[in-house]
Amino acid sequence: MRGIAAVPNYVVMQPTTLCNLDCSYCYLPFRAADNRMPVEVAFAVAESIEPFARAGRFSVVWHGGEPLATGRDHLATLLAPFDPAVEHHVQTNATLIDDAWCEFFIERGVRVSVSVDGPSARNGERIDRGGKPAYDRIVRGIDTLRRHQIPFSALCVVGDPRPGVASELYGYFLDLGCEVLGINVEEREGVNTRANRHDAADVTAFWAELVGAWRQDPRIHLREVEWSLRYAAAVLDGTADELLPRRLDPIPTIAYDGSVVLLSPELAGFHDPRYGDFTSGNVLTTPLPEILAGAASRTPWIAEFLRGVEACRASCPYFGFCGGAHAANRYFEHGRFDTTETDHCRNSKIRLLEGVLDHARDHQPTAA
């Protein structure tokens, strides 16, 4: 995990900044504006990533705003330039999903991930622009996916990680029928400035309880827990150094106007007096591989971030598990990139691994 890889595993594309919801914890600054990606941007990205796609598995993740707010016709136009080998994923709030969108997903092989935070009582932050709960519309969209037999993943934001919550959430997602579940403890990012510091014992107990619920019925691929278990197994096998990639994935995020932000999609659309707008180039003027090749030397905040990663390596016993704090969390919590531990680290890395280990200790087989 030294430096940034020249070849990403995927790119994130922002087909529109617009979102039809106004979730309380959203980090996006321009979600009320309908800035749509011109097709020229999609053509430029498609041409740039063609060698990546032909070399192995490669994904394009459509992530807004709300990608479906782009409209089917325009989104189809944006997908058209890409090599058939590319996998397309869409992260959606599901409120706009209907039969026509399901036919669109099936025809184009688009993989779907839905943002939903559990049962109705836990979705109070997910509201529309009139302040009304969006839960019924979310569930209606998910029911439409299920009726069309479209597999889907789920992404859940948890604002109150504590004992009792995890089992309820896991049971809900089992019933919902998702194949993969990601759990994000709410983060302080972008325009969401709410504090995200929680009692350490509560967060650790949340993760331990989630492991227990999953082990009782592991029908869902539970992203964070399965990664933690792979890491723990690798430590025991003496292969942990081989688990993380040699270099950080650059995670290029292509904004609607073609500008490229690396490492943290959450930085797109923001400006800082010291760092500027965080972009490393624009695909309309510079091919993406060229942007990636010179990013660390030409983008001051990235150089600062890499110094922070080295500080993590030198000081944090959990470095082998996470590879260093995320850039956006460092910036939005501390105002710079060369700091080390963040509340996101504590909630979603340190407490996660501690919770997994606590569960393992509490459920060791007893001697006969």
Side-chain angles (χ1 to χ4, degrees):
M1 295 289 284
R2 295 184 185 276
I4 300 173
V7 177
N9 291 314
Y10 62 99
V11 297
V12 179
M13 299 279 282
Q14 185 185 54
T16 179
T17 56
L18 180 67
C19 187
N20 59 321
L21 297 187
D22 194 23
C23 301
S24 304
Y25 52 65
C26 184
Y27 63 85
L28 294 167
F30 304 121
R31 60 186 185 271
D34 189 8
N35 300 309
R36 298 193 184 190
M37 178 178 283
V39 69
E40 290 80 9
V41 173
F43 270 99
V45 175
E47 183 178 8
S48 287
I49 69 169
E50 185 173 353
F52 305 156
R54 293 196 177 278
R57 183 177 179 181
F58 195 86
S59 298
V60 174
V61 180
W62 299 92
H63 193 301
E66 166 51 49
L68 304 194
T70 310
R72 279 185 299 278
D73 290 345
H74 190 57
L75 190 57
T77 302
L78 296 177
L79 266 64
F82 288 91
D83 189 291
V86 170
E87 292 183 3
H88 291 280
H89 300 247
V90 63
Q91 184 67 46
T92 174
N93 62 38
T95 60
L96 301 176
I97 293 177
D98 56 15
D99 292 334
W101 271 114
C102 287
E103 292 166 6
F104 180 99
F105 299 147
I106 293 169
E107 289 171 4
R108 292 164 177 80
V110 176
R111 304 185 182 199
V112 180
S113 179
V114 172
S115 299
V116 58
D117 299 338
S120 178
R122 299 205 175 277
N123 271 264
E125 309 280 4
R126 302 187 63 74
I127 55 177
D128 64 20
R129 301 210 162 270
K132 296 180 180 179
Y135 182 73
D136 290 344
R137 294 167 60 194
I138 294 170
V139 171
R140 184 166 64 245
I142 293 171
D143 287 344
T144 306
L145 289 173
R146 295 173 66 175
R147 191 171 68 252
H148 284 266
Q149 300 182 338
I150 296 176
F152 65 95
S153 302
L155 188 61
C156 171
V157 175
V158 178
D160 60 341
R162 54 180 170 77
V165 173
S167 294
E168 176 193 8
L169 285 176
Y170 189 74
Y172 172 84
F173 286 103
L174 278 176
D175 293 339
L176 196 67
C178 62
E179 293 191 340
V180 181
L181 174 61
I183 299 290
N184 286 353
V185 176
E186 182 182 339
E187 301 169 44
R188 181 177 179 177
E189 288 181 323
V191 296
N192 178 24
T193 59
R194 303 191 306 191
N196 64 331
R197 183 160 294 186
H198 304 282
D199 178 79
D202 282 351
V203 181
T204 302
F206 168 84
W207 289 115
E209 182 181 290
L210 189 63
V211 178
W214 174 76
R215 288 192 64 197
Q216 289 178 11
D217 192 349
R219 280 179 286 152
I220 295 175
H221 288 292
L222 193 50
R223 186 182 64 183
E224 287 75 18
V225 168
E226 293 187 25
W227 163 248
S228 303
L229 292 173
R230 283 199 299 274
Y231 174 75
V235 170
L236 293 174
D237 292 342
T239 59
D241 286 345
E242 302 170 13
L243 201 58
L244 290 175
R246 296 298 90 188
R247 293 180 178 272
L248 291 163
D249 193 311
I251 317 176
T253 295
I254 318 300
Y256 75 94
D257 61 356
S259 58
V260 180
V261 173
L262 303 182
L263 297 171
S264 285
E266 299 84 359
L267 292 170
F270 288 91
H271 186 278
D272 182 90
R274 283 205 301 141
Y275 310 113
D277 62 5
F278 300 109
T279 63
S280 294
N282 190 298
V283 295
L284 293 176
T285 57
T286 309
L288 184 59
E290 187 176 329
I291 292 173
L292 295 175
S297 59
R298 292 198 307 262
T299 312
W301 75 262
I302 293 180
E304 183 176 288
F305 168 72
L306 292 176
R307 291 196 297 273
V309 171
E310 292 308 307
C312 282
R313 187 195 310 276
S315 64
C316 182
Y318 296 87
F319 182 83
F321 177 57
C322 77
H326 294 300
N329 296 115
R330 294 173 189 256
Y331 177 72
F332 289 115
E333 290 190 30
H334 297 298
R336 55 186 306 115
F337 295 95
D338 54 1
T339 57
T340 54
E341 191 172 306
T342 64
D343 284 329
H344 173 70
C345 290
R346 300 181 187 99
N347 294 332
S348 298
K349 302 296 183 182
I350 296 172
R351 308 307 176 214
L352 165 61
L353 187 56
E354 289 176 347
V356 170
L357 296 176
D358 280 356
H359 173 84
R361 281 190 289 266
D362 292 342
H363 292 81
Q364 291 183 77
T366 56

